[in-house]
Each structure stands twice: as C-alpha cells, then as structure tokens.
C-alpha cells in the first residue's frame, strides 16, 4: 500500500473513531444524569482514537524495518555455497537480481518463468517490458530463490496486515471499554501529547547521531583501504590512479585541500573582519535611526542571498574582472584564484560578523562608556580603548563562527575556486578546498565501495570535526561573555 | 610650590588654550573623524558590492526573459503530417514537423529549396525544438491539419545571440557562428518584422535541454516546490513541537542541555555535511531513489529544523508569562494553556521564522548536489519520487555550460530564484508588521 493512501486511511480512521468515542462519552454523560465526566467528551474521543491508530502505526513501522532483514536472511541462507563465498561486491549484484525478480514476481506468468529458467537471449528485454529491470540475466537457481523470497514476502505482508488490524481493533476496544465518567481522559491525552513533543525535540539528537554515524562509518570503511596517516599527512591529492590500491600511498593526502580551505578562509576573514566589525561599530555607536533602518536590512539582504548567487557572481563577473585588472597591472591572476573566492566569500560572511558584533557591542554596559567620556575621551577613543576590549571575547567568538562558515562554505568555492589541489602560497594561483572535492567525488556515477567515493566521507568527517570544534569553542566564548554582563 | 614653578614650558603645554593642547585636540578630533569614516566606508563597501552584484546579475540575465522567434505562416499540410489519413497519436508523433516549418521559412526568407547548401543554412536558423512546439499544437487541436496559420516559432540560439548583440558581426565569416548568407536573411527578416524578440514563456515551461533556446526551468521549479512542500510539512510541525517542549515543558536537566547544545551546533554544521548524511542514510541505507525531490526535501528538512526551532522558541519566549498564569489561574491545564493561549499568540512569530527557514532551504544547493539532484531531467515530475532538480541546482548546471545562451539563462534563472526569495521575504516582513504584538 502506498504511503499516501495509508496516511489518508489512518486520518479517516482517526476521525471516525474520535467521533464515535466522543458520542459515546456524551451519551454516557446523559445517561448518568447529575454525574459529570471527568474530562470533556472531546478528550475521550481523542484518547480512543490515539489508542486505535498509534499501536497500528507502530506495528507498520516495526514491520517495515524488520521485513528486509528477514527477507535478506532467507536469501543469503538459500545462496549456493560458491556464491556465498564471493566478495560482498559481487554478491550484492546477485542479491539485486533476485530482489528485482521477487518484486516483480506477481507480474510474471508461468510461461514467463519457464522462459526465464531456460535463459533465452531476450529474457532481460522481456522482463524489462514487465517493469523488471535486471543488471544481468538471471540464472536458474536465482529464480528458485526469487520464488521463495516472493512467497515469504507475500506471507509477511498478509501477516503484517493481520497484526496491524488486530492492533487497531484491540486498541479501539480497550479504549472503548474504558470510556466512563471517571476516566481521566484529558490527563492521559496530555501525557501522550507531551511524549510526542518530547520525541520531536529528540529529532535534533537523532540528526546529530545520524551525521556522526554515517560519516564515521563510511570513513572507517575508507581508512580500511587507505591508511589514516596517508590521508592526514599526505601532501599529494590525486585520487584517480589509485584504484588498484597497490601504490595508493600518498594519493589521498588531505593537506593540499586543507591548505586551500584555510587559505581561502583566511582571505575571506581578511575582508570580512574589518568591514563587518567597522559596520557593527558604526551601526551601534554612531548611526542614527535613519541610517540604521537602511543599513541593517541591507546587511540582512547580504546574508539572505543564496551562496550559489555569490558563486555565480564570482564566476561570471568578479573572477574575470580580477584577471583583467591583474593583467593591466602586469600580474598573472588566475580567474579562479584564491583571491577571487576569498573576497567574494568574505563579503558573504560580513553579515555574520556584523550582526553578532553589533549585539555584543550593544551589550557592553553604558556605564563603561560614560566613565570614559567623563575622563574626556572622544567617542572613538572610548570605543577603541574601552568598548572593544570589553567586547573582545565576544568578537573573537563571532570571528570564529564566521571562520567555521567560511571553512564549510561550498557553492562559492565550487564555482569560483579551482579544482587543482595545489600547495601554493601565491594568492593569484588556484587552490582547491575540501568541500569542492567532496562535491566532485560524489557527483556523477557512484560506486559505493571505491576509495574514490568514500574519501568524500573522510573529508566530510574532517570538515565536521573542524567546524564542530570551532563552533563549540566560539559558542562557549560568546556564552561566557554574555553572562559576564548580565 | 616647586611643581608649579619648576617647568614653565610644560605648564604652558598643559593649559587648555596652549598651542600644543589645541594641536593635540585637533589631532584627536581628526582621528575621531577618520574612525567614523572607516565605519561609513565599511557600510559603503557592503552596499557597493550589493549594488554591483544585483546590476551584474540583472544586466546579464534580463535578456533571458526575451527569446527570438520567427513569425511563420505554417501550413499544416495533411500530406506531410498524416499522409495515410490516420490521425492517431502515433502518426502525429512521428510526423515530419520540421518539414512544414522549414517550407514556411524558405518562402519568407526566399531561400532556394533546390540548393542543398542553402537549405542547410536556412534550416540552421530554426531551433531544433520547433517540432515539439508544432506537434503539441496539433495534438491539442487536430483541426489545425489542412489549415494555414501564423505561428511564432523559436529561432536557433545563435540567431537569438545575434539579435541580442552577443555575436560580433565584424569577426571573419569562417569563425563566426552564422555565415554571411544567414546574417543577411536574419537582417531581412528583422526588417520585415517576422523575426522579433518575444517574451520567453519557454523559460517557465520547458525542462532540461542541450539547446539553450529550449532549456527551461519548469522541472526545477516543480522540484523546488515539492521540496518546499516536504520541508513545510515536516520541519514546521516537528520544529514547533520541539520548540514548545523545550520552552514550556522541559525540565532543566542534562538531557535538555544536551538537546540545546545539539540544536545550536546543528545550525552551524556546514550544509554539505547534511548532503553526506542524506546520501548515506536516505539513499544508501533506506534505499530511496536518487534524484528524487522527496530525498532533497528530507535533507533540507533536517537542515532547516534548527532555524525553525530557534525562531519558534524566540516567538514563544516573547509571549508574556501573565498569559500563561491567567490561563492556569482559571483552571486550564499546562497543555491547554500552551495550546489554547500561548501558541496562538506566538503564531505570527513562528510563521515568520518558518518562512525564513524556507527561504534558507530554497536557496541551498550544496547538499542537493550530493543526493543526485544534478540530473538532466526533461519530463516534469508529477510526484516527489520522480527525478527532478531544484532551482539553485539548475543554476549550477547551466553555469557550467559554456554557450552564450546558457550564460544568459543562468543569470535569468538567478533572477527567478531571487524573485521567489524576495516574495517569501516580503511575506515574512508583512506578517511581522501586520501581526507582531509588543507587550
């Protein structure tokens, strides 16, 4: 059954049961005149409806998770010993053929199956006409397994439907019988709601766990093929020719990428820190209301522009401009130079620095400024010698957060930075970043077991660890700073 | 006293009206003015960059909204379209549509049909997508067969580029995309008024194509729409529920601290890492189809969730405690107080935050590249499970094509994307202005 239909059916069942139970609660109230219900009839309705739908949904979800494991167990148990001994990569192909056959089993007639068994030349095309697409022609024993699997599957589906209906009906009758004047339906419903709210807030935890595990798992897989030290300390990035694995040492060195990432981020901060900080100072200390109402939204627009637009701008306008400009000065600036990506990225992170610094500078108590003015300092002297030192930890936090943005930024560097992994200190040349390589290793046709693909996850892990470290540190600084003046 | 009389020079320098003191004050005021100028310069730099960015994008992209088309008197000759008299779909699909368009073109520009070279030159003026255009017209109303009707047909990309001034007429013929004869034809057609730039509806109705003139954004817009729908249906309920729990019910303990730290960190995780998560969990582990907008929507949901949670929490905090206390005072339960009183009052703020989350999701590209939305999709997806692409991804794909027509379309697509973002932001601002309450 499709998910949409299932959802619709659940909703309909919910409403129906809710209505039935509510009417029952009302009639009970009317029958026992003088004795009011503990909870209003609506809550009785919701209570019974939840009792009906939730167990059924739990069964459906549990089944959907368990069934593939059960089927794959049947499948691997039935594999001939010589196939079972093959490496995982080849086996997965066989399993794919069997799975596809089993999925489409119901669409095949007895004659079709006989034809598949004989393995004529057109079997694949015949099956494709019936929406069964196979990577290779099936062999006779695969057909047997596919039959078993498809039978097991239909049995399992039948069982699942039965158990689901049973759970729903059981839940319904349990709730139905409990509807009475004394039932504390509201408290029970509210407890279930609280549980729902709690699980929603746990999604954030699961996301983090998901990120850590998916990236870590694939990275470990990668490090089983390429030694960790080669990855971390290698100075050559050249993933293409190491498929054989024999002379792969040094080919997946992350250092050039790390260098490129940090170098571009450095230029970005070189642009963003002065501009962002000065705008923040001007806006919080000098600007009148009119300037603020124009400048603040302007910086917000800068923050709201998608990074792909910045990337496009760097690609079609800023890169060529810098190249021609450098040419007129006699400098050889590549259109995809460190400078191009760095400056455009710097503009992108200006708003991060300015808005955070603005908050932080505004949080410095007025009494500090007044004291400084009282001693005869000018406004800029006050800012430079009193306000900024007081706000320094917070500003450092803001800069670190911006740095983590710059390091994790993808689209600007994908479009505006180079693809050659150079270890160069010349800002007019191309370098590449970790994010660029993640994208280039993972777009196009993927083969999930090759180090060329898996290295993207190792790069992702490196990126995640670096940005996480920066974020935790920066948030810690900002938080301690905020508490200082509370 | 010794101090006063000891050093008359220093005393003079310290006096407020001494020359040295005045010079010092002037210097300090100059420093003050300079410092103030730095601030203005910083704001001007940001503004200038913004202006240059927008003028560049709009200046490059606005021509994408116009497309050169020929006005041709097309005769839907029955002997060409359906020689055997059958008018079923199969016949119509396979008919020689190019021929009827070309016949009409030869007549207007006066090309000699017998000359093979001349015929080829003339054919190159029309887009390769015209057969689809004519076919769809006839499929929509089969009565057209046998009639003659003026139709605006797409010109080829080079003709379009010439009309938009992107092809230099002065470069030698052998290196120019259009030869002298074609140039003359085009000029004559423009003079006659049968070749003109019209509003480019194709930009919004075509899918992917290798020819710039028949490449459009429809698949990307539909894909982005599905993704926004997924995000709105998942991120909003989950995010609001999480915010309600954390703000109204959660006890202060380790577990809630952990959740809070988590949310703050998730908001700062690079978006590309979410793409890796989507690839590993949704595609490789759960077996959802690659290139499907549903997967994109799920990844974007996880990515926007922190934004929605943080914004909703801010909106809930802004509701004064007296509202809760009032509700509790008249006998409401905690849950009732929240859902009947606090949540409705916080709703405008939540909506604003949600729209800002959607804006972030709509402009996001990097995680979508990981999960296969970089795809050449011609047919418009009708469900979120079919292959699709997204607006920013389409921009990325067009940006990697070298042809002039695609450069213009890339910037045009960017204008469309920025337009959508502008509308959503305006809606958020409107909601904030209209419904925001200050207590």
């Amino acid at each position: 059954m499709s998910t949409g239909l299932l959802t619709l059916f659940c909703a309909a069942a919910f409403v129906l049961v809710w209505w039935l139970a509510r009417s029952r609660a009302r009639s009970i109230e009317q029958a026992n005149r003088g004795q009011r219900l503990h909870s209003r009839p609506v809550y009785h309705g919701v209570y019974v409806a939840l009792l009906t739908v939730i167990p059924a949904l739990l069964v459906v979800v549990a089944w959907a998770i368990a069934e593939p494991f059960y089927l794959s167990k049947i499948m691997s148990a039935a594999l001939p010993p010589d196939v079972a001994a093959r490496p995982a990569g080849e086996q997965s192909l066989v399993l794919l053929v069997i799975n596809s056959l089993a999925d489409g089993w119901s669409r095949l007639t007895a004659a079709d199956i006989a034809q598949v068994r004989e393995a004529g030349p057109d079997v694949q095309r015949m099956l494709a006409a019936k929406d069964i697409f196979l990577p290779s022609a099936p062999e006779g024993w695969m057909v047997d397994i596919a039959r078993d699997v498809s039978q097991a599957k239909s049995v399992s589906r039948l069982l699942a439907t039965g158990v689901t209906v049973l759970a729903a009906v059981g839940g319904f009758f349990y709730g139905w019988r409990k509807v009475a004047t004394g039932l504390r339906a509201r408290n029970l419903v509210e407890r279930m709601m609280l549980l729902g709210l709690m699980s929603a807030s746990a999604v954030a935890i699961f996301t983090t766990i998901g990120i850590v595990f998916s990236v870590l798992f694939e990275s470990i897989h990668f490090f089983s093929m390429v030694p960790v030290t080669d990855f971390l300390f290698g100075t050559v990035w050249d993933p293409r020719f190491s498929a054989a694995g024999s002379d792969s040492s040094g080919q997946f060195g992350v250092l050039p990428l790390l260098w490129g990432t940090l170098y571009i981020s450095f230029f970005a901060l070189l642009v963003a820190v002065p501009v962002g900080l000065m705008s923040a100072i001007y806006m919080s200390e000098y600007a009148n209301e009119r300037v603020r109402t124009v400048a603040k939204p302007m910086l917000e627009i800068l923050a709201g522009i998608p990074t792909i637009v910045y990337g496009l701008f760097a690609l079609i306008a800023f890169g060529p401009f810098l190249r021609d400009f450098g040419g007129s000065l006699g400098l050889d600036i590549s259109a995809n130079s460190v400078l191009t990506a760095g400056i455009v990225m710097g503009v992108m992170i200006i708003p991060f620095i300015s808005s955070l610094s603005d908050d932080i500078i505004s949080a410095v108590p007025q009494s500090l400024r007044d004291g400084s003015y009282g001693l005869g300092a000018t406004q800029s002297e006050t800012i430079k010698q009193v306000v900024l030192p007081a706000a320094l930890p917070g500003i450092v936090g803001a800069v670190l957060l911006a740095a983590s943005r710059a390091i994790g930024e993808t689209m600007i560097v994908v479009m505006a930075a180079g693809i050659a992994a150079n270890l160069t200190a010349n800002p007019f040349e191309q370098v590449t970043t970790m994010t660029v390589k993640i994208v280039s290793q993972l777009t196009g046709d993927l083969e999930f077991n090759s180090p060329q693909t898996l290295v993207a996850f190792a790069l992702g892990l490196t990126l995640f660890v670096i940005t996480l470290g920066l974020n935790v540190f920066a948030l810690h600084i900002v938080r301690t700073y905020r508490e200082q003046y509370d | 006293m010794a101090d006063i009389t000891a050093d008359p020079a220093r005393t003079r320098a310290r006096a407020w009206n001494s020359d040295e003191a005045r010079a010092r004050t002037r210097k300090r005021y100059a420093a003050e003015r300079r410092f103030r100028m730095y601030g203005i310069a910083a704001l001007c730099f940001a503004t200038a960059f913004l202006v240059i960015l927008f003028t560049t994008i709009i200046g490059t992209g606005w021509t994408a909204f116009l497309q050169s088309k020929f006005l041709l008197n097309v005769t839907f000759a029955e002997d060409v379209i359906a020689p055997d008299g059958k008018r079923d779909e199969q016949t119509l699909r396979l008919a020689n549509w190019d021929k009827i368009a070309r016949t009409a073109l030869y007549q207007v520009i006066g090309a000699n049909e017998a000359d093979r070279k001349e015929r080829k030159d003339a054919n190159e003026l029309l887009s390769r997508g015209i057969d689809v255009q004519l076919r769809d017209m006839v499929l929509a109303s089969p009565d057209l067969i046998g009639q003659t009707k003026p139709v605006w047909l797409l010109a080829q990309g080079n003709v379009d580029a010439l009309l938009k001034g992107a092809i230099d007429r002065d470069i030698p013929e052998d290196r120019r995309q259009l030869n002298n004869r074609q140039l003359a034809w085009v000029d004559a057609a423009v003079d006659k008024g049968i070749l003109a730039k019209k509003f480019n509806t194709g930009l919004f109705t075509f899918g992917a194509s290798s020819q710039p003139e028949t490449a459009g954004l429809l698949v990307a817009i539909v894909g982005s729409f599905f993704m926004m729908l997924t995000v709105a249906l998942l991120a909003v309920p989950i995010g609001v529920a999480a915010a309600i729990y954390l703000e109204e019910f959660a006890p202060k303990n380790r577990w809630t601290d952990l959740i809070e730290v988590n949310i703050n960190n998730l908001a700062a995780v690079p978006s590309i890492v979410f793409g890796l998560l989507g690839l590993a969990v949704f595609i490789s582990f759960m077996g959802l189809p690659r290139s499907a907008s549903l997967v994109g929507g799920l990844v974007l949901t996880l990515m926007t969730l922190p934004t929605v949670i943080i914004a909703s929490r801010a909106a809930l905090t802004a509701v004064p405690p007296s509202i809760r206390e009032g509700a509790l005072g008249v006998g409401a339960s905690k849950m009732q107080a929240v859902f009947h009183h606090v949540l409705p009052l916080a709703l405008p703020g939540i909506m604003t935050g949600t729209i800002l989350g959607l804006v972030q999701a709509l402009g996001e590209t990097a995680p979508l590249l990981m999960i296969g939305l970089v795809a050449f999709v011609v047919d418009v997806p009708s469900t979120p499970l079919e292959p699709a692409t997204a607006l920013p991804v389409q921009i990325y794909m067009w940006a990697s094509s070298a042809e002039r027509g695609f450069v213009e379309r890339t910037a045009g697509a960017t204008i469309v994307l920025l337009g959508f973002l502008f509308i959503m932001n305006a809606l958020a601002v409107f909601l904030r202005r209209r419904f925001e309450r200050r207590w």
Side-chain angles (χ1 to χ4, degrees), chain A residues 40 43 69 186 190-191 193-194 196-198 200-205 207-208 210-211 214-215 218 271 274-275 278-279 281-283 286 291 295 298-302 304-310 312-313 315-318 343-344 347 350 376-381 383-384 388 401 404-405 408-411 414-415 435 438-439 442-444 446 448 456-457 460-461 463-464 467-468 471-472 475 479, chain B residues 28-29 31-33 35-40 42-43 45-47 49-50 52-54 56-57 60 237-246 249 255 258-274 276-277 279-281 283-285 290 302 305 309 333-336 339-340 359-360 363-366 369-370 374 392-393 395-396 399-400 407 410-411 414 417-418 421 425 432:
Chain A
R40 289 166 59 212
Y43 286 103
F69 286 102
R186 180 176 56 74
E190 285 182 354
R191 204 170 302 159
M193 281 169 77
L194 191 61
L197 296 180
M198 247 162 112
S201 72
V203 170
I205 301 255
T207 311
T208 310
I211 288 177
S214 59
V215 177
E218 304 289 355
V271 172
V275 177
M278 279 316 295
S279 340
I281 290 172
Y282 189 79
M283 297 232 294
Y286 289 110
V291 175
M298 197 266 306
L299 288 171
E300 275 168 17
I301 292 177
L302 222 46
I305 292 176
T307 56
I308 177 106
V309 179
Y310 283 106
L312 184 70
F313 175 71
L315 180 75
I316 65 174
F318 195 65
I343 293 176
V344 173
V347 174
I350 287 173
T378 64
Q379 212 171 349
S380 65
E381 285 162 356
I383 293 166
K384 278 186 275 192
L388 284 186
L401 278 183
S404 120
R405 281 278 155 176
E409 171 48 40
T410 309
M411 288 327 290
V414 164
M415 296 179 83
T435 47
I438 294 178
V439 170
L442 282 184
T443 39
L446 298 184
F448 234 99
F457 288 91
L461 181 66
L463 196 63
F464 183 68
T467 51
L468 188 71
N471 289 336
V472 170
L475 285 176
R479 191 178 289 181
Chain B
R28 285 173 61 201
Y29 282 180
E32 169 74 32
R33 276 194 299 278
F35 192 72
R36 203 180 278 233
M37 287 313 293
Y38 296 150
I40 294 174
L43 282 176
F45 174 80
T47 316
F49 191 94
L50 200 63
I52 293 172
L53 184 130
F54 276 117
T56 310
I57 300 283
T60 320
I238 296 177
V240 173
I244 290 177
Y245 177 73
L246 291 173
F249 293 100
W255 172 248
L258 182 70
I259 295 180
E260 296 209 12
V261 170
N262 238 300
I263 290 170
N264 283 333
N265 279 324
L266 275 184
V269 167
S271 58
I272 193 163
V273 175
F274 283 97
L276 292 174
L277 167 79
L279 180 61
V281 172
I283 292 180
S284 164
F285 179 69
R290 269 175 79 83
L302 295 181
L305 208 51
I309 295 178
S333 68
K334 190 97 209 278
M335 197 64 84
Q336 287 170 328
F339 277 89
H340 296 178
V359 164
Q360 185 194 350
E364 195 54 62
T365 323
L369 302 182
M370 307 283 90
V374 192
V393 179
I395 294 173
Y396 170 67
S400 24
V407 174
T410 310
T414 310
L417 174 67
L418 289 175
L421 295 180
N425 272 310
R432 189 157 51 189

Side-chain angles (χ1 to χ4, degrees), chain B residues 166-180 183:
Chain B
I167 291 182
D168 189 357
R169 285 163 185 269
D170 297 331
I171 46 177
E173 189 179 7
D174 51 341
R175 282 196 286 132
R176 211 190 304 128
Q177 288 96 329
L178 295 168
N179 59 30
N180 287 339
L183 221 58

Side-chain angles (χ1 to χ4, degrees), chain B residues 201-268:
Chain B
T201 48
L203 189 63
F204 301 99
T205 55
F206 292 131
S209 169
S210 53
Q211 262 91 44
E213 71 270 13
T214 49
L217 287 173
L218 187 58
V219 173
I221 291 175
V222 172
S224 275
F225 172 74
F226 280 139
M227 284 177 221
M228 290 305 104
L229 202 66
T230 318
V231 174
L233 287 180
L234 286 177
V236 177
I238 296 177
V240 173
I244 290 177
Y245 177 73
L246 291 173
E247 204 54 53
E248 306 284 340
F249 293 100
K252 259 268 162 251
N253 59 19
R254 274 238 178 104
W255 172 248
T256 34
D257 274 354
L258 182 70
I259 295 180
E260 296 209 12
V261 170
N262 238 300
I263 290 170
N264 283 333
N265 279 324
L266 275 184

